């Protein structure tokens, strides 16, 4: 396996976890779907691209920070993994306790595609929770014997691509079946439980495996 990728078992777990988190409806999915319902598939795809670019910036920032931290101390890798595991479990508990999103039949006002791109990019890039998520999520699948910067960058780009792919599927579905997706409150409620289970399960797995996960 190349230095910039973790071993196959960790890489497979990363893909599965990323799919589970990306496919369940969250704030970004709700924004993309409602923008599609308001202005059509072009605006939906523009929103997907904007959110992906903003998330990519956060992933790159998290990767650089992790690389610097791990170069200072080998112990930092284990500390970050345990801290990340605790944070993921907390995210799952908070997701379970959060009130379900209220579905609305009122779409957002139409905006020019340039403004859709700008707004989606700025909102995603300046969301500090996204950078914190990447800093907690990526180390769970990194091999401490490999390059921290290369692995975190590769995994960050991989997660963004997976999320963008699932978002495009949501845009396609929203454009095809607008009435059904406007009544997607039940899907968002189910997604809340799936997301919480993914966060908690990943955090427990990491805490149990500790620093041996990549060896």
């Amino acid at each position: 396996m190349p230095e910039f990728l973790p071993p196959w078992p960790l890489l497979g777990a990363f893909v599965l976890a990323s799919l589970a988190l990306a496919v369940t409806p969250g704030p970004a999915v709700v924004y993309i779907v409602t923008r599609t319902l308001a202005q059509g598939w072009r605006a939906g795809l523009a929103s997907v691209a904007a959110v992906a670019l903003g998330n990519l910036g956060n992933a790159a920032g998290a990767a650089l920070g992790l690389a610097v931290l791990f170069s200072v101390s080998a112990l930092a890798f284990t500390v970050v993994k345990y801290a990340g595991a605790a944070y993921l479990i907390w995210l799952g508990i908070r997701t379970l306790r959060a009130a379900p999103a209220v579905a609305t039949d009122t779409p957002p006002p139409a905006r020019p595609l340039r403004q859709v791109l700008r707004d989606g990019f700025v909102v995603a890039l300046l969301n500090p929770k996204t950078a914190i998520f990447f800093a907690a999520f990526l180390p769970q699948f990194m091999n401490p014997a490999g390059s921290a910067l290369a692995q975190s960058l590769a995994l960050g780009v991989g997660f963004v691509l997976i999320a963008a792919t699932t978002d495009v599927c949501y845009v396609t579905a929203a454009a095809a079946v607008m009435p059904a997706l406007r009544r997607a409150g039940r899907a968002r409620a189910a997604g809340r439980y799936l997301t919480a289970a993914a966060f908690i399960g990943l955090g427990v797995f990491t805490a149990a495996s500790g620093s041996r996960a990549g060896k």
Side-chain angles (χ1 to χ4, degrees), residues 5-105:
L5 290 177
W8 282 115
L10 280 180
L11 186 60
F14 166 78
V15 172
L16 291 177
S18 298
L19 278 172
L21 295 176
V23 76
T24 50
V29 171
V30 173
Y31 170 77
I32 290 168
V33 169
T34 52
R35 184 56 61 191
T36 303
L37 296 176
Q39 295 181 241
W41 64 271
R42 293 180 186 274
L45 292 179
S47 299
V48 171
V51 170
L53 288 174
N55 288 340
L56 193 60
N58 276 305
L64 291 173
L66 290 172
V68 171
L69 180 62
F70 295 160
S71 67
V72 173
S73 169
L75 178 63
F77 186 91
T78 301
V79 172
V80 169
K81 281 182 69 73
Y82 278 116
Y87 178 72
L88 292 170
I89 293 173
W90 177 77
L91 280 180
I93 295 173
R94 191 184 67 173
T95 301
L96 283 175
R97 297 178 61 184
V102 178
T104 176
D105 292 331

Side-chain angles (χ1 to χ4, degrees), residues 67-195:
V68 171
L69 180 62
F70 295 160
S71 67
V72 173
S73 169
L75 178 63
F77 186 91
T78 301
V79 172
V80 169
K81 281 182 69 73
Y82 278 116
Y87 178 72
L88 292 170
I89 293 173
W90 177 77
L91 280 180
I93 295 173
R94 191 184 67 173
T95 301
L96 283 175
R97 297 178 61 184
V102 178
T104 176
D105 292 331
T106 304
R111 296 179 181 176
L113 287 183
R114 181 180 298 179
Q115 188 173 352
V116 171
L117 279 168
R118 184 198 65 194
D119 291 349
F121 173 76
V122 171
V123 169
L125 182 65
L126 299 184
N127 184 0
K129 294 181 181 179
T130 305
I132 295 173
F133 165 76
F134 279 119
F137 182 69
L138 299 182
Q140 317 309 320
F141 306 97
M142 291 167 56
N143 183 357
S147 168
L149 177 60
Q151 288 184 92
S152 52
L153 280 174
L155 293 176
V157 171
F159 182 88
V160 171
L161 290 176
I162 290 172
T165 301
T166 59
D167 288 344
V168 169
C169 293
Y170 273 110
V171 170
T172 303
V177 287
M178 289 186 182
L181 287 182
R182 285 180 179 176
R183 300 189 298 269
R186 291 183 181 179
R188 286 197 295 269
R192 183 165 59 97
Y193 291 107
L194 289 173
T195 302

